[in-house]
Amino acid sequence: MNAAPPLTPAQISFFHEEGYLIVPDVFAPADLEPLRQELHREIDRKARALKAEGRLENLHEELDFDRRLAAIYRDSKENGETIMRHLEGLRGGGFHAPEMFDVIASPKLLAKVGSLLGTGEIVASSVYRIRPKLPNIGRGVVPWHQDSGYFSTHCDKQLIITCWAPLVDATVENGCMQILPRTHRGEVAMHHTGGNAGFLVIKDENLPDDPRKAVTAACPRGGVVFMTNRTPHCSTPNYSDHIRWSMDLRYQSAEAPNNVGLWPESLDAAGKADDAFYEKGNVACYPPEADFLVQSRLHPEQVTNYAEYVRRRETYDRTQANFSAFRRWPESVATK
Ligand SMILES: O=C(O)CCC(=O)C(=O)O
């Protein structure tokens, strides 16, 4: 059996020095095809459901995965937003098809993530997103932030790896990521609420370095941009004629705080577990969504299978919506 290759020592050093690493060939393009096709089928199912409700006229069946959702959005912003919100997975368990789980648990990706975490005991973080950045629509533009801005403060010094993986070639034209290198070792920068489309934003004056030093992280389909949770990053508009599909997945060591052992049925009405649980230091970095053990040599019997992953996604999203161990950032209207 061929084990999936880990990263080289030079790649690992680069990541820890720079706060990011682009690996252009983590996946073969064919590895991502099942996910692309299932997303396309999901769009088709959602569009048909909207049509059955009398809310959508043109299914745009003739268009491919890289264009169809944009055409639906152009016809009706409301329909486009409904489908996008569903796929992005912010509520209701989000998109959690088997094809999604296969990518999250892909040995090829986990081998690389393990190299960066320095352990084979890996928890897939609760927060992953599928992002269809539509051509010439501002909503997909993500302002400067660190992922830690969204996480609870007790995880500031933990390493949570974001794996940003495009499902099409990500280029300057279609709005790839911008990364501020060598700035990931300090405190979490001041964020403000009120950024574009409700995102948190670090204003230019609060960035740890001059944004003109940003690296443009173009990345081919099959590649992955690895970042730390304190690496400032943003993404720019999509000026192309197709959708910039991407996913961002997150992983941490099983030693870092997580909610793997926490089941919603053991929570009280306020969404809290009993004190004994928290005494173990186990408040998840992002409590409202479920973490799951995705690789373990010490406890292979505890590695989450697909059915359990679905149950955790679906249950956590509902029961813990009001649970809050978050930091509070000030509000701002005038962002740059
Ligand atoms: O995909 C994008 O445009 C932004 C993604 C992002 O900010 C993230 O993964 O944290």
Side-chain angles (χ1 to χ4, degrees):
M1 190 183 91
N2 278 339
L7 294 170
T8 64
Q11 287 173 312
I12 297 170
S13 301
F14 184 96
F15 174 82
H16 291 297
E17 284 300 311
E18 303 290 321
Y20 78 98
L21 173 73
I22 304 172
V23 181
D25 54 358
V26 173
F27 299 102
D31 296 338
L32 299 175
E33 209 39 46
L35 176 60
R36 281 172 49 96
Q37 285 175 13
E38 180 53 23
L39 281 164
H40 199 188
R41 284 191 292 271
E42 188 71 5
I43 290 168
D44 187 62
R45 284 190 287 267
K46 280 274 163 194
R48 284 176 197 283
L50 289 167
K51 185 162 183 158
E53 289 168 25
R55 292 164 57 189
L56 178 147
E57 267 178 38
N58 189 342
L59 289 169
H60 290 290
E61 284 171 279
E62 73 291 356
L63 295 180
D64 64 13
F65 175 60
D66 300 344
R67 288 181 169 75
R68 186 170 179 187
L69 183 53
I72 291 173
Y73 190 104
R74 270 195 300 275
D75 288 353
S76 155
K77 182 173 175 202
E78 195 190 335
N79 287 338
E81 294 276 351
T82 300
I83 298 174
M84 281 160 72
R85 270 199 302 276
H86 170 70
L87 296 178
E88 284 165 351
L90 297 177
R91 290 284 175 270
F95 179 74
H96 51 246
E99 292 80 1
M100 185 74 236
F101 184 68
D102 286 349
V103 171
I104 293 172
S106 154
K108 289 183 180 175
L109 183 57
L110 294 182
K112 310 273 190 286
V113 168
S115 301
L116 299 177
L117 290 174
T119 176
E121 304 299 301
I122 302 176
V123 160
S125 163
S126 43
V127 189
Y128 70 80
R129 306 286 178 242
I130 291 279
R131 294 183 207 258
K133 186 189 279 200
L134 305 185
N136 295 307
I137 292 170
R139 187 180 181 285
V141 175
V142 177
W144 282 110
H145 68 284
Q146 294 157 305
D147 284 359
S148 275
Y150 288 93
F151 299 151
S152 191
T153 47
H154 71 295
C155 291
D156 282 359
K157 296 284 157 72
Q158 300 289 341
L159 177 57
I160 302 171
I161 307 229
T162 294
C163 301
W164 188 90
L167 296 169
V168 299
D169 292 346
T171 61
V172 178
E173 192 194 12
N174 69 14
C176 65
M177 302 279 281
Q178 303 286 322
I179 293 171
L180 207 48
R182 295 182 293 283
T183 55
H184 59 294
R185 291 210 172 105
E187 299 298 315
V188 174
M190 164 72 92
H191 286 63
H192 283 84
T193 62
N196 173 41
F199 293 116
L200 289 178
V201 57
I202 310 176
K203 295 180 181 186
D204 280 5
E205 63 266 30
N206 293 324
L207 279 168
D209 204 350
D210 187 333
R212 286 172 299 187
K213 293 187 188 162
V215 171
T216 295
C219 183
R221 173 173 158 196
V224 174
V225 181
F226 296 93
M227 288 179 291
T228 83
N229 40 309
R230 280 184 284 158
T231 305
H233 58 282
C234 68
S235 75
T236 47
N238 179 356
Y239 294 114
S240 77
D241 61 355
H242 59 270
I243 304 167
R244 192 225 64 186
W245 283 100
S246 67
M247 59 188 159
D248 33 277
L249 314 175
R250 291 174 182 79
Y251 301 89
Q252 60 191 56
S253 158
E255 298 282 308
N258 64 73
N259 60 22
V260 164
L262 188 62
W263 281 96
E265 43 270 34
S266 61
L267 303 177
D268 67 18
K272 293 206 166 119
D274 62 32
D275 290 346
F277 188 84
Y278 298 121
E279 275 157 23
K280 287 190 255 158
N282 251 347
V283 177
C285 298
Y286 190 76
E289 293 188 55
D291 296 330
F292 42 94
L293 189 65
V294 78
Q295 178 178 283
S296 173
R297 293 192 178 93
L298 297 177
H299 303 288
E301 75 292 350
Q302 291 174 19
V303 171
T304 308
N305 63 27
Y306 177 65
E308 215 172 292
Y309 151 81
V310 170
R311 183 157 96 87
R312 291 183 73 73
R313 289 285 308 169
E314 288 182 341
T315 342
Y316 265 76
D317 210 40
R318 287 193 297 275
T319 56
Q320 294 207 314
N322 295 324
F323 184 93
S324 176
F326 304 117
R327 54 178 20 113
R328 301 263 173 247
W329 293 115
E331 201 173 328
S332 162
V333 206
T335 54
K336 249 188 100 192

